[in-house]
Structure formats: C-alpha cells, structure tokens
Amino acid sequence: SQITMNNKTFSRVATDDVVFLTAALRLNVLSLQHRRYEKNFFINTGNKEGQAQDLEQFNVVAAETQELIQVVGASIPPGADEAEDMKTALAGAGTSHEKYMNGFLDVAAKVQADDTITAQNGNAMMEPLAAEIEACEASGAARANRSPLYINTVTAKVTAPRNRTQMENTALLT
C-alpha cells in the first residue's frame, strides 16, 4: 500500500540522513582539530619530540577526514533535490582538504629541517593554505545545514498523500 511504501521511504531517508548529518558534524570537529595540531606544531618549534606528536595527531585526523569524506559521499540521501550540489560541495571539500593537508605537511617538513624557521615564519608560510581549510569548513557547514532541510522536504512528500486521503475521507463523510 501507499502508506507502507511511504513509511519505508521515510525510514530509509531518516536513517541515511542521520548518517549524513552525523558525518557532516564530525567533519566540522575534525577541521577544528587540524587547526589545533597545526598551531601546536608551530608552538612546539624547537621541540622535535613535541612536533613529532603533533604531526602524528594531525595525520590521524587527516586520515579520518579523508575516510569520512568518502562516507559522507556514499550517504548523500538518494533523491535529494540538492544531491548534485551536495556531491559537488563534497568534492570541493575533499580537494581543499587535500591541498591544506599536503601543504601543511610540506611546511612542517621545511620547519623541521631548518632550525632558523621560527613559529611566526611557519605561521606565515601557512597563510596561503588558510583559504583551503576554510573552504573545507564552509562546505561542512553547508552540508550540516542542508541535512535538516532535506529531511523536512522528504517528510512533507511522504505525509502529503496520507493528508490528502484524510481530507478526501473527511469530505466524503460531511
């Protein structure tokens, strides 16, 4: 029946959307953690052991981010009007993250190899990459914002036939 199909559709969309929203929010957290380990790395200039730990933590966060970008891509709710926009934004986020990640690791290697580079110099070397992590964060915010809008749209589509049937039944009874 139509109601059973609508309930199944709603259930599937709700599940997909929760996965999508959870992953989108986690990406936002990971983005902040990247910045934290980046800043810690430069604060630890001259402390090779501390920098090694910061790099290790940065790499863990970067790997989780890359993996989660794939998960989010796979969990974009099917049939979403915004699905193509979401996929495009996600691809952009992946590209921005990769540029930022590789750029930071390149700067970090230079800092570790040259004791004359200060924390301020390192931060200045990162300035061109700030736009990349900001673009990744903006994409994450857009994904998180779209998710509730999408589930509201689907809810309206699923409940519309039932509401119409109820109105028709009421009209017949009066």
Side-chain angles (χ1 to χ4, degrees):
S1 81
Q2 182 68 33
I3 291 174
T4 304
M5 186 179 81
N6 283 344
N7 286 342
K8 284 181 184 173
T9 302
F10 181 76
S11 178
R12 177 187 49 95
V13 168
T15 302
D16 289 346
D17 204 62
V18 167
V19 169
F20 179 82
L21 180 58
T22 303
L25 293 172
R26 178 68 184 146
L27 280 171
N28 290 353
V29 170
L30 290 171
S31 183
L32 294 172
Q33 288 179 335
H34 279 87
R35 287 176 177 255
R36 173 182 167 204
Y37 297 130
E38 171 199 327
K39 297 301 177 209
N40 284 354
F41 178 85
F42 292 117
I43 289 169
N44 277 319
T45 297
N47 174 359
K48 300 283 186 196
E49 190 178 310
Q51 284 184 323
Q53 288 173 354
D54 296 327
L55 278 176
E56 188 178 319
Q57 290 173 314
F58 181 92
N59 283 322
V60 168
V61 169
E64 184 180 346
T65 300
Q66 290 290 309
E67 184 179 332
L68 207 48
I69 285 172
Q70 300 301 316
V71 169
V72 172
S75 70
I76 289 175
D81 295 338
E82 308 92 342
E84 286 311 309
D85 289 346
M86 292 161 111
K87 287 177 184 174
T88 301
L90 189 62
T95 301
S96 292
H97 177 262
E98 207 165 306
K99 285 181 185 174
Y100 166 76
M101 175 184 68
N102 291 334
F104 169 69
L105 294 174
D106 183 49
V107 168
K110 288 175 183 167
V111 169
Q112 286 188 306
D114 184 349
D115 290 337
T116 65
I117 298 176
T118 65
Q120 290 80 7
N121 296 143
N123 281 319
M125 293 165 75
M126 286 301 297
E127 280 178 22
L129 297 165
E132 300 298 346
I133 194 65
E134 287 166 8
C136 194
E137 289 168 355
S139 176
R143 286 188 306 272
N145 290 341
R146 281 191 184 114
S147 193
L149 293 174
Y150 172 67
I151 200 161
N152 289 342
T153 301
V154 171
T155 301
K157 285 180 185 174
V158 168
T159 58
R162 184 176 58 212
N163 291 344
R164 190 173 57 246
T165 302
Q166 286 172 346
M167 286 189 300
E168 288 165 358
N169 288 342
T170 303
L172 287 173
L173 294 173
T174 55

